[in-house]
Amino acid sequence: MASATTHCADPRLRLRELEEVVGALRRGTVDTLVCEDSDRLLVLREYELERQRERQLAELGAIVEAVPTAVAVVWRNGQIRLANRAFFDVCGPTRPATLWEWASCLQVDIPSSRGLQACFTRSFEDSEPSKPQEVILRPRDGGQLHWVMSFQRLPIQLGGRPAAMVAGNDITYQKHLIDELSDAKLHMEHFLNAAAHDLSAPLITICHNVTFARLELGTAVSDGLAECLGRIEATSKDMLDMLGQVGRVSRFGQDTEPRELHPFRELVDAALRQHQGTLDQRQAVVVVSDRLPELFCQGNKIVQVFANLISNAIKYTPADRTPRVEVGCKEDPGGGHIFFVRDNGIGIPQEHVDEAFELFRRLSSDPAVSGQGVGLTIVKRIIDLHRGRVWVESEPGKGSTFYFTVPQREVDSG
Ligand code: ADP
């Protein structure tokens, strides 16, 4: 390739000459410059810098284009500096110039486009990546798309200005699968409930008939037969009881009440009232955190969660120890709150902590402690229904802490 040398001293020719050299650089016919004039060298250096920025932008554009998710680099004023096809394609033939135009063209619901603006603006203040937001898009050609969007300020300036990366993942298909799964789960719950109910009827008939046979036989019944009838009766009653519990567990997994905001303290107090007698009898020390978050939940069900955990906390504290039950909540590093019920009871060996939530699973071998292995299954059902998490940390001999989360509905803080 040629090398260009500028040497003309006539100032009137400077500009034209420079333009020619710059033109040659743009066309790529010249790539090296030998310049004898420092002023012009400065101008050319600036031009070179600009060209370098354009090259970097083109490279960045190529990377962004290759990313499988929708990505846009947006200046603080909302102007889209760079975006890939996936980001624009949802808008059809329109090419919005700003993020706000993009949002209004898709009637973005986050739940509102104001929410989107707030999330975007906040990304310039936070050093941490923002929490991904579930967003509904309504393209003009119809239908509804579900995206998960995240906003992250770039660590470098782009074109001399601060910019943020806006990324969106289409989760419409996954959403559809989740809906199908929820329907199947609901169907299963109804089936379980119906099966438990229907299977109870023949068992009740067996019990009645055993009672009738006893009456008919009167004193004529031999010891062996009496024992046999007794076993049939006891087993049938156990099965009836278990079927009743299966029905109960399945009902707790169903959406039966509206979700509303409930103060944490009210839910805990309602649960404590259910066990006031036992708490008094055992002279339990109860400590409830004075933090006052509100839970967006099915209130009666969350009361049941606290009630089951409090009941276990007392039940699994040895009789010679004063039960200490602590009910509280703490910040969840992932957002929201973590609720807990802590006791100073017998604890659970580490290898069994997950089994505790299984239906009819009892870990305690103490015959004096009654139970059916259902309480924690119900707790898990209810927390699953709220799309939260439940787990236990325990130290045998010292006590257990049961934790759970209840994700809160997104608040449009924009
Ligand atoms: P149940 O108490 O009727 O047996 P749960 O489903 O409530 O049924 O609990 C399952 C098992 O988990 C219990 O049998 C017990 O072994 C263990 N467990 C539950 N809560 C506690 C606790 N707070 N401390 C120690 N063990 C517990």
Side-chain angles (χ1 to χ4, degrees), residues 16-38:
R16 227 189 65 215
E17 188 189 41
L18 269 176
E19 275 172 0
E20 272 170 22
V21 175
V22 165
L25 277 166
R26 279 213 172 103
R27 285 191 302 278
T29 47
V30 165
D31 74 340
T32 318
L33 274 166
V34 181
C35 192
E36 294 155 0
D37 178 322
S38 62

Side-chain angles (χ1 to χ4, degrees), residues 312 315-316 343 348 361-364 371-376:
N312 279 353
K315 195 160 79 169
Y316 294 104
D343 64 53
I348 302 172
R361 187 82 174 99
R362 302 209 67 215
L363 306 172
S364 163
Q372 290 169 311
V374 175
L376 288 183

Side-chain angles (χ1 to χ4, degrees), residues 196-254:
H197 181 264
D198 291 354
L199 286 172
S200 301
L203 282 169
I204 292 169
T205 310
I206 292 172
C207 286
H208 284 334
N209 279 290
V210 171
T211 313
F212 182 69
R214 269 194 215 275
L215 285 173
E216 279 291 296
L217 290 165
T219 50
V221 66
S222 70
D223 285 352
L225 185 58
E227 202 180 304
C228 176
L229 290 174
R231 272 203 302 270
I232 294 174
E233 205 171 27
T235 315
S236 306
K237 280 188 176 149
D238 280 353
M239 276 187 75
L240 256 178
D241 207 23
M242 284 166 92
L243 286 173
Q245 296 297 356
V246 169
R248 210 169 142 236
V249 168
S250 85
R251 280 193 296 281
F252 275 112
Q254 293 169 21

